[in-house]
Amino acid sequence: MAIFVNETSHTFNEFLLIPGYSSKECIPSNVSLKTPLVRYKKGEKSAITMNIPMVSAIMQSVSGDRLAVALAMEGGVSFIYGSQSIEDEAAMVKRAKSYKAGFVNSDSNVKPDDTMADVVALKEKTGHSTVAVTSDGTANGKLLGIVTGRDYRVSRMDPTTKVSEFMTPFNKLICAKEGTTLKEANDIIWDNKLNSLPIIDEEGKLCYFVFRKDYDTHKQNPNELLDSNKRYVVGAGINTRDYAERVPALVEAGADVLCIDSSEGFSEWQKLTLEWIRGKYDNSVKVGAGNVVDADGFRFLADCGADFIKVGIGGGSICITRETKGIGRGQATALIEVCKARDEYFKETGIYVPVCSDGGIVYDHHITLALAMGADFVMLGRYFARFDESPTNKVNIGGTYYKEYWGEGSNRARNWQRYDMGGDKKLSFEEGVDSYVPYAGPLKDNVALSLSKVRSTMCNCGALSISELQQKAKLTLVSAVSITEGGAHDVIQKDKSVPIK
């Protein structure tokens, strides 16, 4: 006979935090949001510790290389989507890893006989205003000059004007030779009041650029998450089918952490994938797994060697797995049970396996609830899809801007590997939808606002760290009418678009 779980399956929206005693030290500026990303043994530290408890979902419409850089600047990790060719995913990882090495490979290059129209088109494509002029138009050709926004005026020049006529020629450039340290390069930039410094080899071929803005960016982003070589920490998604080819390519590209992207992780497919990675790389390659919704699923993946485990099935804003297949569990209930299993596993084995809450986040305060319930960090899709840095198009609908957002189980993504159960290599039916989300601007501003709310709520609970929040939090279930009571009610709200006189 089937096993019946009599406990009602709950969502984040059915819980509230009860405030606790807060001392005078409990102010948002004192709150630390550092959290472990991968497993570690008792008495040791995690090999990767994030500065904020946020990672981006492994989705085509969310996690590209631009978002990976933007999120790492804030202290989190983006998992670049795996539902693309191995070569393309590895290239995305390389671009993100090279962005903040200090020495940046040029991705905006032209030849001397190209035109101003080519420069303008390239700027629109890459968003970069510094364009290298090389003999062959490649990133490592012989450097002949540089074009910046100060070298041309679209309104005053013929679009067919040759680059050679308005570029800053090589003999007027200040360059440094290959082998120059980052500190030396920055000193040259400051001493000569430069915005960029080309690094060339003995033959005059372009190797890298060092930009003043990277130094400034570091000062503006004290939480940025860097590896031992001062490059941004970047994650990447893999599947349980082509891992033997994909994993080596991503490791070679510099990915710091991998994650198996699957709608349901309590399976032999994930076990085989983890065993292969451990057999080839031992513990040097960090890889998360999931998704699961109960203690049995957690224990299975923890024993298989997963470095972190994702919780959540069917709770994503574009996921219709529960509707189409009838499987899943309320995110809050699933998370509470799995986090309890994680703590028991830690007591038994001395190994701490971080838990990632994936899905079910609608409001900013749901992040705090997830952390209070035991999550070490949250994975967000819709949240990040709204920002400038996500890979999708911004569209105007009825005078309002939106960003495109679609599920990995939709026909648009056709990510059959994520839902594969050993049959034909195809999607039998959709488990995700194609949609729009309201455009919200740059990632930096929005993440700062969301986390300010998290810090403030933690102070209300008397907690200055995530672990302290999990020890002190008091949670209460709420009724439907108390949810209504919690919002604005029984008033006529003023139209915010109309100025008050």
Side-chain angles (χ1 to χ4, degrees), residues 56-65 67-68 78-81 92 391:
S56 68
I58 312 169
M59 300 175 69
Q60 292 176 8
S61 56
V62 177
S63 299
D65 50 296
L67 193 123
S78 181
F79 285 88
I80 290 174
Y81 67 91
M92 277 193 175

Side-chain angles (χ1 to χ4, degrees), residues 73-279:
M73 282 184 179
E74 301 308 310
V77 173
S78 181
F79 285 88
I80 290 174
Y81 67 91
S83 52
Q84 59 180 320
S85 72
I86 295 172
E87 295 75 19
D88 287 346
E89 186 180 9
M92 277 193 175
V93 171
K94 283 182 180 179
R95 287 198 295 271
K97 293 298 292 184
S98 66
Y99 186 92
K100 191 55 176 68
F103 297 96
V104 181
N105 290 309
S106 177
D107 68 350
S108 299
N109 311 284
V110 295
K111 300 187 295 295
D113 58 352
D114 287 335
T115 65
M116 185 186 74
D118 295 322
V119 172
V120 172
L122 189 59
K123 181 180 177 182
E124 290 178 354
K125 178 182 178 182
T126 65
H128 299 155
S129 58
T130 299
V131 178
V133 185
T134 60
S135 56
D136 57 2
T138 67
N140 300 115
K142 186 173 182 180
L143 183 64
L144 302 179
I146 288 178
V147 173
T148 69
R150 294 176 295 182
D151 294 316
Y152 63 94
R153 289 291 179 271
V154 174
S155 60
R156 297 185 180 183
M157 293 170 58
D158 187 335
T160 62
T161 305
K162 298 290 186 184
V163 168
S164 58
E165 296 180 32
F166 61 88
M167 70 182 187
T168 300
F170 180 80
N171 59 9
K172 292 186 178 181
L173 296 176
I174 295 175
C175 300
K177 289 294 179 69
E178 189 175 18
T180 301
T181 67
L182 187 57
K183 184 181 184 305
E184 291 170 341
N186 281 320
D187 287 342
I188 294 170
I189 287 174
W190 284 100
D191 292 344
N192 294 277
K193 299 180 179 179
L194 305 174
N195 287 323
S196 63
L197 177 69
I199 309 295
I200 59 175
D201 65 14
E202 294 295 333
E203 299 177 356
K205 293 181 178 180
L206 179 63
C207 300
Y208 310 101
F209 274 107
V210 176
F211 292 98
R212 175 193 288 263
K213 68 177 178 64
D214 283 347
Y215 179 85
D216 295 337
T217 296
H218 175 68
K219 297 301 180 183
Q220 296 167 7
N221 297 283
N223 281 331
E224 62 184 358
L225 192 60
L226 306 175
D227 65 16
S228 58
N229 295 313
K230 298 189 181 301
R231 301 177 301 176
Y232 285 128
V233 173
V234 178
I238 61 173
N239 61 65
T240 58
R241 284 303 177 188
D242 63 8
Y243 53 84
E245 295 79 35
R246 190 173 294 269
V247 171
L250 295 175
V251 172
E252 176 67 23
D256 299 278
V257 57
L258 307 176
C259 185
I260 301 173
D261 182 27
S262 175
S263 63
E264 204 278 299
F266 197 176
S267 74
E268 188 176 5
W269 300 115
Q270 296 219 4
K271 179 181 180 181
L272 293 171
T273 304
L274 290 166
E275 286 178 346
W276 184 89
I277 293 173
R278 292 291 171 250

Side-chain angles (χ1 to χ4, degrees), residues 311-322:
V311 177
I313 294 177
S317 60
I318 40 68
C319 183
I320 54 173
T321 295
R322 297 181 193 173

